[in-house]
Each structure stands twice: as C-alpha cells, then as structure tokens.
Amino acid sequence: MRNHYDALVVGAGPAGGSAAYHLAVRGRRVLLLEAQRFPRDKVCGDALTQRAVRILAAMGVLDSLPPSQPVRGLRVHMRGRGRRDFAYGAYPGADSHCLVVPRRVLDEAICARAVAVGSELWEGAAVTAPILERGRVVGVRVCRDGRLIDVRASAVVAADGARSVLARAVGLLPEGGLGVGVRGYLTHLDGLPDLQEVFLPLDDAAGRDLLPSFGWINPTCASQANIGVALFRPGYEGRAEHVLHSFLARPGTGRKAFEGRLRGQWATAPLRLDFAPGRCVGDGILLVGDAAGLVNPFTAEGISYALESGRTAAEVIDRGLTRDLERPDLLDHALLLENAYSGLLTAGRRSAHRYQFVWRVLQGTFDSERMPFALCRRALLLPEGMGELRAHRAIDDVAGLMAPGVDVRTDLLGVGELMASSVRDEWPFLARLAMSSWGDPGVPFRPALLLLLASRFGDIGARPRIKMGAAIELSALAALAQLGVEDTPAHHSSWGNRFAILVSDLLMSKALHLATDGGPQALALISRAVTKMCTGRVGERRHAFDARMAEDDHLSLVQSQTAATFELPCRLGALAAGTSPKHAGALGSYGRALGVAFRLTEDVRILTGAERPTDNAVGVTLSEGTLAHPVLVALRRSPGRLTSLIRRGRLTADEVEEAVAIVRDSGALDVTRALAREQARRAADALEGLPEGPAQASLSALVEHVVRRQVPDRTPASVDPASGRFAKCSTPGGVSDRPTGSPGG
C-alpha cells in the first residue's frame, strides 16, 4: 500500500471526482477517499446544466450514464411578475439541453471514470483529521475498516461538502452561516414541461413574509420530478419543511398544488453560501465545490461549479508539482476562482442574507426587455458562461480576420481582467455583467479591439494599451446602462432606474480613472464621445414614434450613438501611438463610418432573424418608438398599417410579428443593406492613406466583416504575405454584397 501520493482528494462527489480525474490524466499519483460506499445518495437537485454536461462529456462520463430525459431550458417564475423561459438551444456555442441525473448515479459514474484513468479509490474511508507539519497540511488521518491510517501527499483537496471536516480543522471554514435545502422525489405527476423550473421568492407558511428563498422542480421523466426548496438565511433549519409544504400547496404563477406521490422521504442538506476566494486555499490544501461555498444563490446550482473547481484544483496542483514535487505552490487556486466566480457568487451571497438590491432589481425589472436588465437576468439566472471570461468569445469571433503579425489575444484578455478587477471590490456583480453579453462582440468589445489594432501604428507598451481598452469598454457599458432608465417608471421599475443610474455612474468614473494615464487629450476624447452617446439617446427619445423623421436625421443619431463608440478607440489609439494628424484623422473617419455600417447591419440582422434578438429586441424598440432605419424606410413605402401599429405603443408578440413582416415585404431591408455597404466603402476608403502592413490589413478585413458577419476559421488565404495586405474584394469598395442558469444542482 502506497503511503505517499502526489495528491489526496477527500470526498468523492462531483468536485472530488473531477479533481481526481484531471490529476490522474496528467499522470499524477492520486488517492480519492470516500466515507461511504457506492452506490450512495446525496441531497441535491440533481440538475446538470449545459456547462456540466459539456464537462462530463469531455471527461468521458456522459456516455456511461443511464438514459435521461433531456431538459430543453429553464423557466423562472418571479412572484407577482409572471414567468420567463430561457431555451438553452437559443444560445450560440452551447449544447441544446441539460439533464437531471440523481447523485446516486452521477457520483459513482464520475469516480469510476477517475479510477479508469489511474486514480486509486478507497470507499468506506472516513477522514478524521489533517496531518500538519509546521503549519502545512501534509496528509490526512483515515479511519478504514476500523483502523486509523496516516496517508501523506504533496497536496490535499478538500471536497468533503458544506461542513468540511478538513477545512474547519485548518481554519478555512467559518462557523455557522449555513442555509438549508429540502428535497424529495414526487411521482405520478401530470403536465410536467421539459423545463427546469425555479420559483422566486417563497413566503412563510402563513403566506405573509417573503423569504430569501426559492423552490425548484427538476423533471426526471414525464411524470416524476426532483422537487425542493432552498432557504439562504441561517436559522431556518427547523422551518424548512413547513416552507416546503407551503410551496407544494401553492407554488404560484397559476400552477395547481402538487398531487404526486412521495418516493422515499424528504431529505435536508446544508447550503454554504459564503464563497470567498481567500479561504479556498491554505498551505498544502485546496477547497473545491460545496466546501468552497460554490453554490449559485439564485438557483442553488452547484454541480457545474464543483466540476469546474475540481478541474481548476487539479491544474494548479499539477503546475505546482512540476516546479516542486514536495511543496507545490497552490496560491493560484484563489486567483483563478476569484476571476471565475466572484462577480456572481459574492454578490449573491450578500443579497441572500437580506432580500436587498440585486434581488429587488431582478424582481422589479423581470418583465423589462431593456438591455441592462436582460444581461442582468442572464448573468444571474442562466450563468452558463461561468469560468469563461467573455473576452475569449470576442477573440474567437474575429481571430480569423487578424493578419499575420497581429496578435491581440493577450491584450484583450488583459482588458477583460482589468475591467473585472476595477469593479469587483465595490460591486462584484458588475464583473459578471461586464462579461456576460452573448453574440456579436461589436459593443463593447470591438471598440477595444479597434483600439489595440490602431495602437499597432506605434509602440506604447502593453499596459497603456490595456488600460485604454478597458476605459473604452467601461465607458461604452456606462452608456449602455443608461438605456435602462425609464422616463416614467412604475413602482416596480424604480429599482431598475436606481440600478441603471448607479451602474452608469460607477462605470463612467472607473473609465475616466483608467484614462488618466492618457493625459488631458484622452480624457477629453472620452468625455466628448460619451456626450455624443447621451445626446444621441436624448434625440432618439425625442423622435420616439416619429414616423416622419428623415433618414438623414436618423443617421445623425446613429453617428452620435453607435458610431461614436467606434470612432473613440481609433482616435485614442492614434493619440496613444503618436501617429500623425493625417493618420489620426483617417482612423477617426474609418471608425465613424464603420460604426454606422455596423449599426445598420445589426438592424437588418435583428429584423431578419439572422441573429437571435436579445430578449425580444424587436419588440422593445418598436414598443418604445425607437425606429430603426429599415422601419423608417418601410414607413415611407407602406405607411398605413405600420404607422398604426407603432403609434399604438406597447405591442403584443403577434403585432411585433406583423410589423416585422410589413418591413420585410416593403423592400426596406435591401435599402438598409445598400446604405450599410456605402458606409463600409467609406471606411475602406479612409484606410487608403495608412501605412501598409498587418494592422492596416486587419482593419480592412473588419470592414467586410461588419456587413457580412462571417469570420473564417483561420487567417484568410487572400493575405499577401509580402505586404501583409488583404486582396481586394470583388465588389465595389471592397465590400461584399452578401446579406448578412439551473436550479438545485
């Protein structure tokens, strides 16, 4: 029997099994310790989100699981505000479903896979205490078959749950502060949708007081579900089942009481909601999963975080062992967890103890389609991007357009990290909001990309480039947050107005602070651009429902809003790089025209359904009287019914579809496409006087991208290796004519 390992993993749940697997596949000697014997059950909601499904597939576990009914999305019921469905298949780059798999089955399958790749597993091995030498954890004491055994390792992973014996013994686990969850399996149910369901928030048994809580329904098949409730505030252990039975009797939002049969017994488990990166690592020990407090406080999902944190711990240990086999450096674990989770879990933990700001914003803006609130809902209720900086998606989106010799990957990652760190201390949730937009990264990530490209005309160093990029993105987000302010807010939406104003002010102050390194000229450029954006927004509201607005007036508004966000980084990049006034002017003209082309093409894409509208973007703009260019053209061509619909105010879903059909049938989309191509040609013409080379070639490629929105898998073959320039496109001006969350885990 080996008594010294590279790593010991205590606890064979998803976090421990993931850590053991990822260590073993790296060739490390790892021992996995489980206090019980398989098969054994765990109290859990059993939900595997898309993220969890992808990780399990990569580990080779998914194929070994028994057949499970796919769940196509998440339905969130907000008390007094109705419900919203999040269809998983609607999000690019994601699997189209999640699964509900009992932990009795899941944990054993993960551990079997870890053993198959080289892990050693001891079942019935209860860890009683850590072994400490000069303050460092060097192993654990194990009770197995009635004997106490000391087992040593270079690193220990504590994956032993919310009441972690190891973490408490070394001072990493605070006393108290635990919530509670209750769950059971109901059979013989009728009318279960193929959706996970979350109910926010619940009330007490008397129906009077709202609690920091929610209920869930996770269907395991057409007539059976894992059903439970979670209460986040400590002290509810004795009341949890009363809240559960109240939830079963009146779940709300029009649902009938549950009349299924209980299979087995109701079971309870603690919920640890005190995630803090600094307490997730000690000398020789790492915390993962529930022991680290990695539980979503809005849905109680934890399996995906457990799998991710186990993998992260394995990577940190493996890297540390490469440098020092006896005393690996494990401190990176805290930094990686902070970067991945602080924006969601820290804010959630704070709001879970009191029904406060973030919860009220979610409730007050639940039926609002405005962009800041759509992002807020997605970041908190459907956080499938957890663990992935959104900058990665921006890079992947345009990587094929970069000419040889242009590498912006490191700089863009630095921009994303600086943005997150600049808001994390004051308001951690914004770190998630700033990195959670789906789809095309045109705003705010493309301005940063343009800045980085423009700065390639000189050499100002990486740090100034990154700070300027972050300043631009934060200022763009500040302008975006202002879109959430309603002119005449209702009682509920007043929380949304507070949120939008506070967020906008904070982001703008952070942007200006980062821009100070650029001197007075940089601050003046940013201030001027933000002023243009705000002026454009005011003008847009002034012309709301104005069916007679001229196209030139509309283009002026576009130049004030979207075009300013593209011109700003080009101007700043030219300033920072010290380019000549002539080249700076050319880059400014390029960015301005490119921004107009981008906005016009985006209008077409939304109206044609080429891109999934963010929370019904078409309905938002039409209901608020914000008339896109194709709508203005259609009003001129087919004014009758369309004018009547727009002036009606808030449109139903059917009326939105009717309005869009009128716009399409009028031929207006072709007019807007032609105008977008004309603006793109202007952008291409502005580049003619710039020095040839990789930066100029990449900027040229972006011109075609804004009207085509297609990116090759690799650097296009049309790049001339001698000059670094892209070959001219076949159409005039070088522009193509082609149109363009989970509960209870």
Side-chain angles (χ1 to χ4, degrees):
M1 180 185 301
R2 183 185 295 138
N3 63 1
H4 190 280
Y5 295 82
D6 292 327
L8 297 175
V9 180
V10 181
S18 174
Y21 168 85
H22 287 99
L23 282 163
V25 295
R26 288 169 168 79
R28 299 301 179 181
R29 299 169 298 162
V30 55
L31 174 62
L32 179 58
L33 301 168
E34 168 58 37
Q36 302 180 53
R37 294 188 179 276
F38 291 113
R40 57 101 174 100
D41 199 11
K42 288 288 183 181
V43 177
C44 181
D46 300 337
L48 301 180
T49 65
Q50 295 168 281
R51 183 71 176 150
V53 168
R54 291 196 293 270
I55 295 172
L56 292 171
M59 293 171 61
V61 174
L62 206 57
D63 292 340
S64 66
L65 296 176
S68 301
Q69 178 178 338
V71 180
R72 66 176 176 83
L74 174 68
R75 174 170 290 170
V76 179
H77 303 259
M78 183 65 72
R79 183 184 179 87
R81 307 293 289 168
R83 72 189 190 195
R84 301 191 76 101
D85 288 355
F86 297 87
Y88 290 147
Y91 296 93
D95 299 320
S96 61
H97 67 277
C98 66
L99 300 171
V100 180
V101 180
R103 289 283 300 277
R104 179 183 184 88
V105 174
L106 176 67
D107 292 10
E108 186 171 13
I110 295 174
C111 287
R113 183 61 182 150
V115 170
V117 297
S119 298
E120 186 176 346
L121 171 66
W122 289 5
E123 298 180 60
V127 172
T128 62
I131 300 173
L132 299 172
E133 289 183 358
R134 295 185 294 277
R136 181 180 177 85
V137 179
V138 296
V140 297
R141 180 157 294 171
V142 184
C143 181
R144 188 186 190 205
D145 298 330
R147 297 187 303 122
L148 288 177
I149 306 169
D150 286 354
V151 187
R152 293 174 172 262
S154 299
V156 174
V157 178
D160 49 343
R163 291 196 175 101
S164 172
V165 172
L166 279 180
R168 180 169 285 109
V170 297
L172 294 177
L173 202 65
E175 294 291 339
L178 295 175
V180 62
V182 185
R183 74 98 172 97
Y185 295 92
L186 290 186
T187 64
H188 297 81
L189 295 172
D190 295 324
L192 284 177
D194 56 345
L195 295 165
Q196 298 169 262
E197 295 186 82
V198 171
F199 298 77
L200 291 164
L202 305 180
D203 55 29
D204 61 9
R208 292 190 300 267
D209 298 329
L210 295 182
L211 306 174
S213 60
F214 74 90
W216 74 78
I217 308 171
N218 293 336
T220 58
C221 65
S223 60
Q224 177 176 293
N226 178 316
I227 295 180
V229 299
L231 295 103
F232 301 133
R233 188 180 298 160
Y236 281 93
E237 293 84 351
R239 301 169 57 187
E241 287 205 22
H242 294 292
V243 175
L244 170 70
H245 291 300
S246 175
F247 167 62
L248 294 176
R250 44 186 174 83
T253 59
R255 289 192 66 114
K256 298 179 181 178
F258 296 104
E259 298 177 350
R261 301 177 187 173
L262 178 63
R263 192 194 75 197
Q265 302 294 323
W266 296 109
T268 64
L271 289 174
R272 180 162 292 284
L273 297 160
D274 55 0
F275 169 66
R279 74 162 188 83
C280 293
V281 59
D283 198 359
I285 186 171
L286 304 175
L287 274 59
V288 295
D290 285 353
L294 293 173
V295 176
N296 185 327
F298 298 95
T299 64
E301 199 279 317
I303 293 178
S304 65
Y305 309 148
L307 294 168
E308 287 179 338
S309 62
R311 182 181 61 192
T312 298
E315 293 169 351
V316 170
I317 292 171
D318 179 64
R319 187 162 54 245
L321 289 171
T322 300
R323 298 167 182 159
D324 188 338
L325 278 173
E326 297 300 321
R327 297 177 62 89
D329 183 355
L330 307 178
L331 292 179
D332 280 356
H333 186 63
L335 178 62
L336 292 172
L337 293 185
E338 181 178 26
N339 287 341
Y341 303 121
S342 281
L344 172 72
L345 303 185
T346 306
R349 170 172 56 82
R350 291 173 181 171
S351 60
H353 290 288
R354 293 179 189 164
Y355 187 62
Q356 285 185 340
F357 194 67
V358 176
W359 287 81
R360 291 190 183 277
V361 169
L362 275 178
Q363 184 182 33
T365 63
F366 193 67
D367 57 358
S368 173
E369 306 291 355
R370 295 181 180 231
M371 181 66 72
F373 309 133
L375 293 178
C376 177
R377 282 193 299 271
R378 195 176 305 141
L380 294 176
L381 301 176
L382 195 74
E384 281 300 324
M386 290 299 295
E388 298 176 347
L389 284 175
R390 304 309 303 173
H392 283 84
R393 289 191 181 274
I395 294 167
D396 292 339
D397 183 65
V398 295
L401 301 175
M402 298 299 99
V406 175
D407 178 16
V408 297
R409 183 177 300 273
T410 301
D411 285 347
L412 278 178
L413 288 175
V415 167
E417 291 168 1
L418 182 57
M419 287 177 63
S421 64
S422 66
V423 297
R424 184 176 284 132
D425 289 342
E426 290 90 346
W427 203 345
F429 164 67
L430 292 182
R432 285 293 305 150
L433 180 61
M435 298 184 292
S436 296
S437 57
W438 289 85
D440 193 283
V443 178
F445 280 103
R446 185 155 293 115
L449 176 60
L450 293 174
L451 167 66
L452 297 170
L453 286 172
S455 69
R456 296 285 170 172
F457 290 97
D459 185 10
I460 63 171
R463 187 62 182 172
R465 287 200 305 267
I466 289 172
K467 292 184 75 172
M468 286 295 183
I472 287 173
E473 296 200 37
L474 288 171
S475 65
L477 280 173
L480 180 67
Q482 284 288 344
L483 299 180
V485 179
E486 294 188 8
D487 300 330
T488 55
H491 171 69
H492 281 294
S493 63
S494 65
W495 285 100
N497 273 6
R498 297 181 206 181
F499 172 78
I501 293 169
L502 288 172
V503 168
S504 180
D505 288 349
L506 177 61
L507 293 176
M508 195 64 230
S509 67
K510 293 293 184 180
L512 293 175
H513 176 72
L514 289 173
T516 54
D517 280 6
Q521 287 180 284
L523 290 171
L525 285 171
I526 291 179
S527 299
R528 194 176 304 131
V530 173
T531 299
K532 283 185 178 180
M533 295 179 215
C534 294
T535 301
R537 174 62 175 162
V538 171
E540 191 175 66
R541 297 310 305 152
R542 187 170 62 247
H543 286 283
F545 304 104
D546 183 2
R548 294 175 295 178
M549 182 169 60
E551 290 180 42
D552 287 346
D553 292 336
H554 176 266
L555 288 179
S556 294
L557 293 178
V558 171
Q559 288 180 338
S560 295
Q561 290 184 283
T562 307
T565 66
F566 282 74
E567 180 182 4
L568 172 61
C570 295
R571 294 275 186 188
L572 271 179
L575 171 66
T579 59
S580 67
K582 176 182 177 182
H583 291 161
L587 285 168
S589 299
Y590 163 82
R592 190 165 55 250
L594 194 72
V596 175
F598 177 91
R599 170 69 178 272
L600 294 172
T601 303
E602 194 67 11
D603 289 343
V604 172
R605 283 162 59 82
I606 291 175
L607 287 166
T608 58
E611 180 79 359
R612 185 192 69 84
T614 302
D615 284 350
N616 191 19
V618 178
V620 178
T621 55
L622 290 177
S623 295
E624 295 185 350
T626 304
L627 307 183
H629 185 268
V631 177
L632 288 173
V633 175
L635 282 168
R636 193 174 65 244
R637 295 185 171 195
S638 307
R641 176 58 176 165
L642 184 58
T643 301
S644 174
L645 285 171
I646 289 174
R647 288 178 175 172
R648 183 172 301 176
R650 186 173 291 275
L651 276 64
T652 67
D654 289 341
E655 289 170 336
V656 169
E657 288 297 323
E658 182 183 358
V660 170
I662 294 173
V663 173
R664 291 174 177 171
D665 293 342
S666 71
L669 298 177
D670 289 334
V671 175
T672 302
R673 288 191 185 103
L675 185 57
R677 291 194 295 271
E678 178 185 336
Q679 291 293 325
R681 290 187 187 100
R682 293 184 181 182
D685 291 343
L687 295 176
E688 289 298 323
L690 295 176
E692 295 184 1
Q696 199 262 18
S698 299
L699 292 172
S700 296
L702 285 173
V703 173
E704 182 166 354
H705 174 64
V706 297
V707 292
R708 293 185 58 184
R709 302 298 172 83
Q710 294 178 357
V711 181
D713 293 334
R714 56 185 62 85
T715 302
S718 55
V719 175
D720 181 352
S723 66
R725 290 188 58 126
F726 280 81
K728 287 287 186 181
C729 303
S730 57
T731 53
V735 180
S736 170
D737 266 339
R738 186 182 308 179
T740 53
S742 21

